C-alpha cells in the first residue's frame, strides 16, 4: 500500500551528488553516467522508485521497534565475549598398530561391495583435423591483407592513454557541504606540498586514503573509459608532469599527477601487415580443416568403420585407451579432454559423432568399445578394502578414546591430567 509520486522520485535522483555539477543536477551528466553503466533512465528510475518504497517500508517497520538497555547490553556482551579453551585431538592416524584379519576384510567387502563399483569406461577411435597441417596450402596476398586492414580499422586504433598517480581524500557521496569543504581544504594543503616540489609518491604513501596508497598512488596506464568522471576528464586534459588541484568524484577529492601520455594512434598498414597475414593464414587453415572434416563426415554413417573412412580420405586415425567420463582421455594433444569425453559418452557403440570443435581443431569420434559399470571381484580390490577397513578401525578407536576422555573429565578429572593419561597434547 505504499505509494510514491513521480516528483518524489525525481527529487531523490536530483539529490544524488554523482549527477550534480557544482551542486546542481546535470541532466547530460545523468544520461552519460547511466550509459556508462549500461542503464536507461527508465530502468534507473524504476530501481530508484523500488528503493524509495523499501526505505519507507523499513521506516514503518523500525518505527514500531524498541530495544531496551538490557537487550542492547546482552547483545553487546554476547557478540564481544571471548573465551579461552583447551582441547585435545584424537587423530585416527595415531593408531598405527590397528590390523584386520582376512576374514574381517572379506566381510567388510561383502557389506560395502557397491562402494567399489567401477565407472563405465569406453574406447574411442577418432579423426583429428589439425589446422596446422593445412597452413602450407594457404596463400595470402598483399591485396587480402590490405582488404582486411581497411575493413577492420578499429582493431589497429589505440586510444589515448595516461600514466598517473593520485592522492585520494575520501568523502562520503552523501556527505554534507561542510564536510565536503573541510575535506577539500585538507586536499588543498597536500596539493600545495606537491606543487612545492615534494615527492608525489611519498606524499601519496603518507596522506592518500585510496587502495593504491602503498604503491605511492600509482594507477599505471589507463584509457579514459577506465576511470570515473570527472577524474578521467581532468587527467586527460593535463600535460605530462602536471599536478591537478583537487577533483571531486563519488569517492572523494583526488589530486592527480600525470607522469606520461601516449596519444591516440593508428598502426599503419606496413606495421600491421605481418600480423594480419598470420591471422588470415590461421583463419583459412581452420576453414580448410573444417571443409575436410565435413567431407569425411558426409561420407560415413553410424556403424561404418571410421578407420576405413580415414584411410580413404588420407586422414590420420587414432584410438584412445579405455577411459571414464570423469577421467577423460589420457592421450596427449587432445583439445579439451572433458568435452571430448562428454561427446564420446553420448554415443551408442559404433555410432559416429558430429564434428567437434575442441579448440585446437576438429574431431570426429566413434565409440568402439564400452565396459559397463560393475562390482569388481574381491581379489581385484583386496588392497583397497584392507586400507579402508584399517581406516574405519582407526576412526572407531579415535572416537572411542575421545568419548572415554570426555567421560573422565566430566567426572572431575583435570583436563591436563586426563590428556597425559591418554597421551595426547592439550
Amino acid at each position: 500500500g505504499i505509494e510514491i509520486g513521480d516528483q518524489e522520485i525525481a527529487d531523490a535522483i536530483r539529490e544524488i551528488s554523482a549527477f550534480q555539477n557544482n551542486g546542481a543536477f546535470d541532466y547530460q551528466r545523468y544520461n552519460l553516467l547511466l550509459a556508462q553503466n549500461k542503464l536507461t533512465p527508465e530502468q534507473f528510475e524504476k530501481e530508484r522508485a523500488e528503493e524509495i518504497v523499501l526505505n519507507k517500508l523499513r521506516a514503518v517497520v523500525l518505527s514500531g521497534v524498541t530495544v531496551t538497555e538490557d537487550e542492547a547490553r546482552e547483545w553487546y556482551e554476547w557478540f564481544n565475549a571471548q573465551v579461552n579453551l583447551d582441547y585435545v585431538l584424537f587423530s585416527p592416524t595415531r593408531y598405527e598398530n590397528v590390523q584386520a584379519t582376512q576374514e574381517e576384510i572379506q566381510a567388510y567387502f561383502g557389506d560395502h561391495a557397491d562402494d567399489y563399483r567401477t565407472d563405465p569406461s569406453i574406447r574411442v577411435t577418432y579423426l583429428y583435423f589439425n589446422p596446422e597441417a593445412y597452413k602450407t596450402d594457404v596463400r595470402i596476398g598483399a591485396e587480402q591483407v590490405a582488404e582486411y586492414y581497411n575493413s577492420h580499422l578499429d582493431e589497429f586504433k589505440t586510444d589515448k592513454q595516461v600514466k598517473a598517480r593520485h592522492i585520494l581524500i575520501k568523502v562520503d557521496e552523501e556527505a554534507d557541504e561542510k564536510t565536503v569543504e573541510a575535506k577539500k581544504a585538507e586536499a588543498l594543503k597536500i596539493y600545495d606540498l606537491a606543487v612545492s616540489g615534494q615527492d608525489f609518491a611519498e606524499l601519496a604513501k603518507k596522506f592518500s586514503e585510496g587502495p593504491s596508497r602503498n604503491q605511492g598512488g600509482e594507477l599505471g596506464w589507463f584509457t579514459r573509459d577506465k576511470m570515473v568522471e570527472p577524474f578521467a576528464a581532468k587527467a586527460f586534459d593535463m600535460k605530462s608532469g602536471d599536478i591537478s588541484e583537487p577533483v571531486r568524484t563519488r569517492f572523494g577529492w583526488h589530486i592527480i599527477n600525470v607522469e606520461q601520455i601516449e596519444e591516440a594512434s593508428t598502426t599503419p598498414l606496413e606495421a600491421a601487415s605481418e600480423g594480419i597475414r598470420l591471422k588470415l593464414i590461421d583463419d583459412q587453415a581452420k576453414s580448410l580443416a573444417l571443409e575436410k572434416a565435413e567431407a569425411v563426415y558426409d561420407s560415413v554413417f553410424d556403424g561404418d568403420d571410421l578407420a576405413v573412412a580415414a584411410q580413404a580420405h588420407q586422414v590420420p586415425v587414432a584410438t584412445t585407451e579405455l577411459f571414464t567420463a570423469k577421467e577423460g582421455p589420457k592421450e596427449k594433444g587432445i583439445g579439451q579432454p572433458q568435452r571430448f569425453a562428454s561427446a564420446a559418452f553420448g554415443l551408442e557403440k559404433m555410432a559416429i559423432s558430429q564434428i567437434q570443435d575442441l579448440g585446437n581443431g576438429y574431431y570426429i569420434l566413434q565409440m568402439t568399445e564400452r565396459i559397463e559399470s560393475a562390482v569388481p571381484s574381491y581379489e581385484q580390490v583386496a588392497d583397497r578394502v584392507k586400507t579402508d577397513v584399517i581406516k574405519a578401525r582407526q576412526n572407531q578407536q579415535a572416537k572411542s578414546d575421545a568419548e572415554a576422555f570426555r567421560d573422565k573429565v566430566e567426572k572431575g578429572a583435570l583436563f591436563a591430567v586426563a590428556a597425559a593419561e591418554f597421551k595426547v597434547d592439550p
Side-chain angles (χ1 to χ4, degrees):
I2 297 175
E3 295 182 358
I4 56 172
D6 292 344
Q7 188 60 46
E8 189 174 359
I9 299 169
D11 290 343
I13 292 174
R14 287 194 185 95
E15 291 174 2
I16 298 174
S17 59
F19 302 139
Q20 294 176 357
N21 188 5
N22 294 322
F25 180 78
D26 186 329
Y27 191 73
Q28 184 176 0
R29 180 177 176 77
Y30 173 63
N31 283 292
L32 178 62
L33 285 175
L34 292 186
Q36 288 176 347
N37 288 278
K38 299 180 180 177
L39 285 170
T40 65
E42 292 77 13
Q43 290 171 320
F44 181 76
E45 287 156 21
K46 181 181 178 183
E47 291 176 5
R48 188 62 178 165
E50 291 171 352
E51 185 180 338
I52 294 170
V53 170
L54 286 173
N55 286 339
K56 287 191 172 187
L57 175 60
R58 187 176 292 109
V60 169
V61 172
L62 293 179
S63 66
V65 175
T66 58
V67 178
T68 67
E69 186 174 339
D70 288 341
E71 287 174 321
R73 180 171 295 281
E74 183 180 352
W75 182 94
Y76 174 83
E77 289 176 349
W78 171 258
F79 282 97
N80 289 277
Q82 295 183 351
V83 297
N84 289 321
L85 59 86
D86 290 325
Y87 72 94
V88 291
L89 170 64
F90 289 86
S91 172
T93 57
R94 71 195 292 258
Y95 303 95
E96 297 176 352
N97 296 325
V98 171
Q99 298 295 328
T101 66
Q102 192 72 19
E103 291 75 17
E104 289 170 334
I105 297 170
Q106 288 180 328
Y108 184 91
F109 178 72
D111 293 338
H112 302 84
D114 222 43
D115 293 347
Y116 302 92
R117 179 178 291 277
T118 62
D119 292 328
S121 59
I122 61 174
R123 194 186 308 275
V124 173
T125 294
Y126 66 95
L127 310 184
Y128 173 37
F129 302 86
N130 185 355
E132 292 293 324
Y134 296 86
K135 284 187 176 181
T136 55
D137 298 331
V138 177
R139 298 290 180 270
I140 300 296
E143 289 183 2
Q144 291 167 284
V145 172
E147 181 181 351
Y148 181 91
Y149 178 84
N150 291 324
S151 59
H152 297 80
L153 271 177
D154 284 347
E155 292 182 18
F156 307 100
K157 291 181 179 179
T158 303
D159 291 336
K160 180 179 178 179
Q161 294 187 83
V162 166
K163 184 181 182 186
R165 296 177 185 269
H166 81 137
I167 297 170
L168 170 64
I169 303 302
K170 287 185 177 179
V171 185
D172 189 275
E173 195 171 0
E174 305 297 333
D176 58 60
E177 187 174 346
K178 184 178 179 181
T179 302
V180 171
E181 289 305 314
K183 291 292 185 178
K184 182 178 181 181
E186 185 181 334
L188 281 168
K189 290 180 181 179
I190 301 168
Y191 166 76
D192 289 339
L193 294 174
V195 295
S196 71
Q198 292 197 32
D199 186 274
F200 194 92
E202 292 305 315
L203 290 173
K205 289 178 182 179
K206 184 175 181 180
F207 295 108
S208 182
E209 297 170 350
S212 62
R213 170 180 181 164
N214 293 336
Q215 292 75 47
E218 184 175 357
L219 298 171
W221 288 98
F222 55 88
T223 53
R224 181 165 181 159
D225 62 321
K226 299 300 181 185
M227 289 296 170
V228 67
E229 295 289 355
F231 182 103
K234 185 62 180 177
F236 278 79
D237 194 42
M238 295 167 66
K239 297 177 182 177
S240 181
D242 282 356
I243 296 174
S244 75
E245 291 189 5
V247 178
R248 174 85 190 277
T249 73
R250 67 174 184 267
F251 301 109
W253 291 102
H254 303 258
I255 305 161
I256 307 167
N257 175 207
V258 171
E259 296 184 322
Q260 290 178 256
I261 297 172
E262 283 191 1
E263 297 294 341
S265 62
T266 301
T267 304
L269 174 60
E270 293 74 19
S273 290
E274 182 59 17
I276 295 172
R277 190 181 70 82
L278 293 175
K279 173 180 171 46
L280 293 177
I281 288 174
D282 286 343
D283 291 347
Q284 289 198 25
K286 194 170 183 180
S287 294
L288 290 175
L290 179 57
E291 288 175 12
K292 186 70 170 179
E294 289 172 340
V296 175
Y297 180 76
D298 290 341
S299 70
V300 293
F301 300 92
D302 288 346
D304 289 352
D305 189 333
L306 196 59
V308 173
Q311 186 175 11
H313 289 270
Q314 298 182 325
V315 177
V317 62
T319 301
T320 68
E321 297 297 326
L322 286 166
F323 63 89
T324 65
K326 187 185 298 182
E327 297 169 340
K330 303 178 182 66
E331 286 69 26
K332 292 181 179 180
I334 292 178
Q336 302 178 15
Q338 285 304 319
R339 281 187 58 196
F340 182 104
S342 177
F345 269 87
L347 298 172
E348 298 292 333
K349 187 174 180 181
M350 296 307 291
I352 294 173
S353 76
Q354 294 183 335
I355 297 168
Q356 305 293 315
D357 182 355
L358 300 183
N360 65 343
Y362 302 97
Y363 293 76
I364 298 176
L365 320 179
Q366 182 174 48
M367 196 260 281
T368 55
E369 182 181 355
R370 181 182 178 96
I371 298 177
E372 297 296 343
S373 171
V375 175
S377 67
Y378 169 75
E379 288 74 21
Q380 290 175 296
V381 292
D383 289 342
R384 281 177 58 198
V385 179
K386 180 180 178 180
T387 298
D388 290 345
V389 171
I390 291 174
K391 282 183 178 178
R393 287 284 182 83
Q394 288 174 317
N395 277 320
Q396 184 56 47
Q397 187 64 56
K399 182 179 180 183
S400 177
D401 282 359
E403 290 172 342
F405 177 91
R406 179 199 60 202
D407 293 342
K408 199 171 190 67
V409 173
E410 285 181 345
K411 289 175 181 176
L414 293 175
F415 199 89
V417 172
E421 182 180 333
F422 281 84
K423 298 180 180 179
V424 287
D425 295 325

